Amino acid sequence: MYTEQSLNTPFDYFPFVKRSLFIILTVLFAACGSDNDDESNLDDELRGIITAQNLTGDPSTDRALPDIEDPKAQLGMKLFFSKSLGGDLDAACVSCHHPMLGGGDALALPIGVDAEVEDLLGPGRLHKTSGEHFDGGPTVPRNSPTTFNIALWDSVLFHDGRVESLGKTPKMIGNDGLGIRTPDVAFGEVDTQAGQDLVEAQARFPVTSNEEMKNFSNFEGTDNTQVRQNLQQRLGNYGAPLGGSLAMNHWLAEFRAGFSAPDGTAEELITFGNITQAIAAYESSQVFVDTPWKAYVEGDDAAISDDAKRGAKLFFDSTDNGGANCSACHSGDFFTDEKFHVIAMAQVGRGKGDGEHGTEDFGRYRETHDETDKYAFRTPSLLNVTVTGPWGHAGGSSTLEQAIRTHLDPQAALDHYDFSELDPSIQTTDMVINTQNAIDKLQANRAAGMASMPELSLTDTQVTELLAFIDTLTDPCVTDLACMSQWVPSADDSDPDGLRIHAIDGNGKHL
Ligand code: HEC
Ligand code: HEC
């Protein structure tokens, strides 16, 4: 009987319910399938993570940043490329931060002054044997970080954070009254000369470093203030700067245009503060955040591969959840907590004069003198990281895979370190002992329960997936010559002092 039957099997009343239930169950079974996540399920999980971690995909939101076409940024570009800011006129900012080289120099460790060929950047750039303090390798002890997205840092610049905001709202220095600390003042104190933001503050320092730009002749024996005074007078063509005046000098017209002050005098316009302001405008216009990952976060499921999605899940998931928890430190849309951690990446190069042999680099400890900060370095952003190798504070990782594996097991990374991957000119005499010291520190911090990189074992497939994810963090503009050319002076751009770097690579090809 019809009613009886229906009481026995309610589905017989509503055949469509039975069918839908079957479909739902089938989908559920597929989703719980043992070998791997179903695609749509993976997207759901990732979107859950994105929401939980408050990601928007765009770390540049709500920041008023200059455009490369702004007159001040254009002036900054010319300054950035000019050797006139080098004490002995042989190095420019761009010597170590070229837009076509990922905003860095593509070297493990940079060569600034006394290069064999001043305009040759990247692999093949060598230090003159006659150069001061020549020891066969680079004289600069740390890897040159990218200038890309530099304006997105809120708290600290440099690997050891020695330029840092003391306030909560670093983009509004003065409003909170807390200001910026730089190496010109004691730790924790405000440098009243720092300028408006971290990028300006940072630009005051490369010119004062003998190895980066100052060199050992014209400005030898001068302090930071004197170097800056000499440079403003040199470019402004006033006073009596050490080393004399420039052979050719059209900077006044450039500063008038850059600062929209057609009647300004050299003394008014060509100040060191204005030099760094213009350079900072140029650097801050280098915003490269339009990544496939951003498109994915904004809702395009097809923007990244399934491998990258699995890598993303590993990257963001906690270790309890089977993840690698990379986002504990590489957090947020800019992929950094702007804090300092001991990872024990290879300590190559001549070091910062620390430790028993003087070839170590104590990192953040150099600023804080806090034992737990020994060998701690700032968490780098991972945006565009595929184009900023070699990696690590001393460029000791020649591949991204090596950089990741060093996090997982620094001892194995040291024990199996492949020196042949490193540029043969890099100093490595104390590398093993120095890196071991950092590993020992990491272990001591772990034993003391200090937050640090946990020991982690990942399969080769998982490492490949992490790499696939990291690949999605690069803005296509940075590998596109036409797109990047906006940040390189063109042949029709005036060269105010004839001292522009026209960069070539090791094969003589123009960058
Ligand atoms: C000889 C190579 C060299 C030259 C020349 C040079 N830099 Fe650098 N730059 C470096 C290195 C190395 C570091 C990292 C130093 C450290 O952390 O101790 C750095 C750091 C920076 C940073 C901070 C990046 C970050 O993520 O914290 C900025 C910005 C920067 N340089 C801009 C400039 C500007 C502007 C000039 C010119 C006035 C310049 N650099 C000249 C090598 C160079
Ligand atoms: C405990 C904090 C922490 C965690 C967790 C962490 N990192 Fe890092 N990462 C760092 C620090 C600090 C550095 C820089 C070390 C140095 O310069 O010596 C770094 C460097 C890197 C670099 C090289 C970047 C460059 O510009 O040189 C990559 C790539 C990287 N991390 C990826 C990862 C991945 C993938 C994971 C997850 C498996 C991860 N990190 C987990 C703190 C962390």
Side-chain angles (χ1 to χ4, degrees):
M1 198 174 86
Y2 193 77
T3 26
E4 270 176 32
Q5 262 182 1
S6 74
L7 285 169
N8 289 342
T9 52
F11 287 136
D12 290 349
Y13 276 128
F14 309 107
F16 69 94
V17 171
K18 191 169 161 187
R19 255 190 52 221
S20 343
L21 197 66
F22 175 76
I23 290 170
I24 288 167
L25 284 176
T26 315
V27 168
L28 269 179
F29 273 117
C32 302
S34 53
D35 29 323
N36 65 353
D37 289 349
D38 176 76
E39 241 175 84
S40 61
N41 197 32
L42 188 54
D43 285 323
D44 289 347
E45 283 179 293
L46 258 185
R47 299 225 171 268
I49 289 171
I50 287 165
T51 310
Q53 302 207 6
N54 288 319
L55 302 177
T56 67
D58 188 354
S60 69
T61 314
D62 294 336
R63 289 173 199 259
L65 298 174
D67 189 274
I68 181 58
E69 293 305 331
D70 291 354
K72 209 187 277 183
Q74 288 290 311
L75 168 63
M77 177 164 76
K78 290 173 188 169
L79 290 163
F80 198 86
F81 277 73
S82 171
K83 291 179 282 194
S84 62
L85 290 175
D88 292 352
L89 306 173
D90 71 342
C93 304
V94 79
S95 304
C96 307
H97 300 284
H98 199 285
M100 301 296 187
L101 299 174
D105 58 2
L107 296 171
L109 295 167
I111 290 162
V113 302
D114 285 334
E116 258 178 14
V117 182
E118 287 166 15
D119 285 10
L120 194 162
L121 307 191
R125 183 174 175 86
L126 296 172
H127 202 271
K128 269 190 223 162
T129 49
S130 59
E132 201 86 25
H133 299 162
F134 178 74
D135 70 354
T139 51
V140 179
R142 287 183 180 161
N143 179 263
S144 170
T146 183
T147 51
F148 294 172
N149 296 329
I150 198 71
L152 305 186
W153 292 94
D154 280 333
S155 305
V156 282
L157 289 184
F158 285 129
H159 293 292
D160 54 16
R162 67 189 184 281
V163 164
E164 70 182 300
S165 165
L166 302 174
K168 290 190 232 50
T169 52
K171 289 286 142 194
M172 289 172 276
I173 304 305
N175 291 356
D176 59 15
L178 290 172
I180 295 174
R181 184 261 162 165
T182 74
D184 273 348
V185 298
F187 184 69
E189 280 177 21
V190 173
D191 179 353
T192 54
Q193 306 294 307
Q196 303 176 57
D197 58 34
L198 295 175
V199 187
E200 262 181 56
Q202 191 283 333
R204 300 173 62 75
F205 292 91
V207 296
T208 67
S209 154
N210 286 105
E211 290 77 17
E212 289 189 7
M213 293 178 80
K214 180 179 169 186
N215 215 329
F216 297 86
S217 282
N218 283 335
F219 295 167
E220 197 46 14
T222 54
D223 64 20
N224 290 3
T225 308
Q226 290 164 334
V227 169
R228 295 171 188 137
Q229 260 161 11
N230 276 289
L231 287 174
Q232 66 187 12
Q233 291 181 354
R234 176 193 281 174
L235 268 71
N237 204 18
Y238 58 87
L242 294 168
S245 49
L246 296 172
M248 171 179 148
N249 190 337
H250 300 293
W251 282 113
L252 183 55
E254 302 285 344
F255 275 75
R256 283 178 171 159
F259 284 89
S260 311
D263 305 317
T265 64
E267 282 89 341
E268 285 162 359
L269 290 176
I270 309 186
T271 60
F272 198 74
N274 278 356
I275 290 172
T276 53
Q277 222 185 81
I279 289 176
Y282 165 69
E283 294 178 289
S284 299
S285 74
Q286 297 183 338
V287 181
F288 304 113
V289 298
D290 256 326
T291 65
W293 170 247
K294 172 169 175 271
Y296 182 81
V297 174
E298 288 172 349
D300 179 1
D301 281 349
I304 66 174
S305 72
D306 285 350
D307 264 357
K309 288 175 193 175
R310 281 186 282 272
K313 204 165 125 38
L314 274 168
F315 189 93
F316 290 107
D317 253 346
S318 67
T319 42
D320 288 347
N321 246 353
N325 204 19
C326 308
S327 62
C329 303
H330 298 283
S331 56
D333 291 305
F334 194 35
F335 293 90
T336 170
D337 56 2
E338 301 200 33
K339 295 198 167 76
F340 304 86
H341 306 276
V342 185
I343 297 295
M345 285 197 164
Q347 179 55 46
V348 297
R350 59 165 57 194
K352 290 287 273 186
D354 297 331
E356 203 187 328
H357 305 282
T359 50
E360 290 193 73
D361 184 341
F362 287 165
R364 182 62 172 165
Y365 171 89
R366 294 171 56 80
E367 305 306 310
T368 63
H369 300 291
D370 178 341
E371 274 298 322
T372 58
D373 285 336
K374 223 172 230 177
Y375 309 108
F377 293 92
R378 185 191 63 176
T379 310
S381 164
L382 297 182
L383 292 182
N384 304 308
V385 74
T386 55
V387 299
T388 61
W391 297 271
H393 66 274
S397 290
S398 308
T399 63
L400 273 172
E401 177 172 351
Q402 187 185 356
I404 295 176
R405 289 195 186 274
T406 305
H407 284 65
L408 306 178
D409 189 346
Q411 191 65 59
L414 176 59
D415 294 347
H416 303 127
Y417 192 82
D418 182 356
F419 286 89
S420 73
E421 298 240 353
L422 205 61
D423 182 319
S425 73
I426 305 286
Q427 309 86 336
T428 51
T429 318
D430 302 325
M431 182 281 198
V432 174
I433 185 163
N434 291 346
T435 308
Q436 189 63 52
N437 285 343
I439 296 175
D440 294 348
K441 184 70 194 174
L442 169 60
Q443 243 112 36
N445 280 359
R446 273 185 193 152
M450 310 285 181
S452 59
M453 185 67 210
E455 243 168 298
L456 209 59
S457 156
L458 299 179
T459 65
D460 288 353
T461 310
Q462 287 176 313
V463 172
T464 308
E465 289 166 350
L466 278 173
L467 286 165
F469 169 59
I470 284 175
D471 255 343
T472 72
L473 304 181
T474 295
D475 184 329
C477 176
V478 304
T479 53
D480 176 344
L481 291 186
C483 192
M484 286 318 285
S485 65
Q486 298 170 82
W487 284 272
V488 180
S490 66
D492 349 315
D493 280 323
S494 57
D495 181 355
D497 52 22
L499 290 166
R500 175 169 303 159
I501 297 253
H502 297 280
I504 52 167
D505 67 16
N507 301 317
K509 200 174 141 267
H510 278 279
L511 288 179

